[in-house]
Amino acid sequence: RSRQSARECRARKKLRYQYLEELVADREKAVFALRKELEKYHLWAKEIDAGKTPEEIQSVLEDLNLKQEQK
């Protein structure tokens, strides 16, 4: 009975670690995506400070205008 209990305990522990590893991997992906987005906004800010209008901002603004017009 003790051996079976130990086996079950190890199995639960293994599942718990797998779950935590997946959770960490998901969070790392989210952090990476947010860093990439932040870098994009930094580049946009630099272009705006230089007096330029980034093309991406133009398209975002146009999309927002279309959404507001549809309401």
Side-chain angles (χ1 to χ4, degrees):
R1 185 190 299 171
S2 179
R3 288 181 184 175
Q4 183 177 355
S5 178
R7 228 179 325 205
E8 291 171 357
C9 180
R10 286 190 297 270
R12 285 192 305 271
K13 185 176 180 181
K14 184 178 178 180
L15 286 173
R16 187 169 43 248
Y17 276 105
Q18 286 175 347
Y19 167 74
L20 290 173
E21 286 173 355
E22 290 174 6
L23 195 63
V24 168
D26 289 343
R27 298 286 164 85
E28 286 175 344
K29 287 178 188 176
V31 167
F32 180 75
L34 288 171
R35 283 189 177 147
K36 189 174 178 179
E37 186 177 0
L38 180 63
E39 180 61 29
K40 175 177 71 171
Y41 294 142
H42 277 291
L43 291 174
W44 287 4
K46 286 180 183 179
E47 287 185 34
I48 291 171
D49 288 344
K52 301 175 185 174
T53 303
E55 292 179 21
E56 297 90 359
I57 290 180
Q58 258 331 96
S59 64
V60 168
L61 291 174
E62 289 172 2
D63 289 345
L64 286 174
N65 283 336
L66 287 175
K67 287 180 184 178
Q68 287 179 353
E69 289 175 2
Q70 291 176 353
K71 288 182 180 180

